[in-house]
Amino acid sequence: LFAIFAFATCGGYSGGLRLSVDCANKSESDLNIDIDFAYPFRLYQVNFDVPTCEGKRREKLSLIGDFSSSAEFFVTIAVFAFLYSLAATVVYIFFQNKYRENNRGPLIDFIVTVVFSFLWLVGSSAWAKGLSDVKIATDPDEVLLLMSACKQQSNKCLPVRSPVMSSLNTSVVFGFLNFILWAGNIWFVFKETGWHSSGQRHPPDTMEKQSSSYNQGGYNQDSYGPAGGYNQPGSYGQVGEYGQSQSYGQSGPTSFANQI
């Protein structure tokens, strides 16, 4: 849906402006000069006739600029993004098993999503700059400067109507929204590839190191050897206050008193 809004608001645009040239000789004036233009904004091909205020002679002018490259690039990205989204939706719903087979489907989906995210960013930025240039080239005050009759102070040249660019502004907004949407979807497609789950597993070397360090920390069987005094039946070793080994054997109270 976001892709449809993007290419529909840009590719379906048509607009125009109206100018007025009031000559000193009223019979030579033209108060309604309509200039229409549309996508793909090859403005140099938009021709219009204006009075020269020198008799009945009129001059043929054209707008300045060619902004078709950025506009067509933007629309092309939007159309292909729409087609891919439609195809991916069909695969997600009806071919889920084929999609997950050998992890090939999620991998391709991840790569395509990254590519489209980059293209949306580039295309939207280029079209935003192109739209800014289109606004300047179709500004009525700028177009009036092209007319020779408007260079004479005796004639009055005025803009009557400016072109409405609201839909083109909307197309730029939808372009950057598409970039955010596709860039945010990279994370979810990445989780489908299996790389996310495999990256969280501990490698075998790490597990071996942890087990060896656990044994070296004094919890192996050797710690219960002669040093601890627990391997002698009937005798319990204990380190006294001054570091001397004290043992409590089975010799009874007398042996205990002698040892103290």
Side-chain angles (χ1 to χ4, degrees):
L1 291 178
F2 276 62
I4 292 174
F5 292 145
F7 70 74
T9 52
C10 179
Y13 177 82
S14 62
L17 62 151
R18 179 176 294 176
L19 305 175
S20 172
V21 178
D22 188 6
C23 300
N25 186 358
K26 302 298 182 181
S27 61
E28 301 173 356
S29 302
D30 190 348
L31 304 181
N32 293 306
I33 303 174
D34 292 322
I35 304 174
D36 299 324
F37 61 95
Y39 173 85
F41 307 104
R42 293 187 178 93
L43 300 183
Y44 70 94
Q45 295 180 351
V46 178
N47 301 318
F48 54 96
D49 295 331
V50 296
T52 59
C53 296
E54 296 177 355
K56 296 296 182 180
R57 188 173 67 87
R58 299 176 68 90
E59 63 178 345
K60 188 175 182 179
L61 301 175
S62 61
L63 297 178
I64 299 175
D66 182 8
F67 311 100
S68 59
S69 58
S70 59
E72 291 176 340
F73 181 61
F74 178 80
V75 171
T76 301
I77 294 173
V79 171
F80 277 103
F82 163 72
L83 295 177
Y84 178 78
S85 300
L86 187 62
T89 303
V90 174
V91 172
Y92 293 158
I93 297 175
F94 299 104
F95 302 98
Q96 188 65 229
N97 294 332
K98 291 289 185 181
Y99 175 78
R100 297 182 180 276
E101 185 178 356
N102 297 328
N103 201 35
R104 182 177 301 176
L107 180 60
I108 296 175
D109 197 11
F110 174 75
I111 295 175
V112 174
T113 303
V114 173
V115 172
F116 266 113
S117 300
F118 175 75
L119 291 178
W120 273 117
L121 177 61
V122 175
S124 300
S125 301
W127 172 230
K129 177 61 171 63
L131 176 58
S132 177
D133 295 337
V134 169
K135 291 180 178 180
I136 295 175
T138 58
D139 185 1
D141 294 330
E142 295 293 330
V143 178
L144 289 175
L145 297 178
L146 302 176
M147 304 178 185
S148 59
C150 297
K151 298 177 181 179
Q152 303 176 9
Q153 296 182 354
S154 58
N155 304 322
K156 295 181 180 180
C157 300
L158 299 173
V160 178
R161 187 183 70 238
S162 300
V164 179
M165 300 286 190
S166 57
S167 62
L168 296 181
N169 294 331
T170 304
S171 67
V172 174
V173 173
F174 273 107
F176 285 104
L177 286 177
N178 273 283
F179 163 69
I180 296 174
L181 181 66
W182 284 79
N185 196 44
I186 292 177
W187 167 249
F188 298 98
V189 181
F190 173 75
K191 292 173 64 176
E192 294 291 332
T193 59
W195 294 340
H196 174 67
S197 58
S198 62
Q200 291 183 341
R201 299 174 183 174
H202 295 286
D205 295 340
T206 305
M207 296 298 294
E208 291 177 2
K209 292 179 180 179
Q210 291 180 353
S211 61
S212 61
S213 61
Y214 183 83
N215 292 333
Q216 293 175 2
Y219 294 94
N220 52 5
Q221 296 180 356
D222 296 340
S223 62
Y224 297 94
Y230 289 94
N231 60 340
Q232 299 176 2
S235 174
Y236 302 93
Q238 180 178 357
V239 180
E241 182 179 359
Y242 299 97
Q244 297 178 356
S245 176
Q246 301 175 359
S247 60
Y248 303 88
Q250 298 179 355
S251 56
T254 304
S255 177
F256 175 73
N258 293 333
Q259 291 178 3
I260 293 177

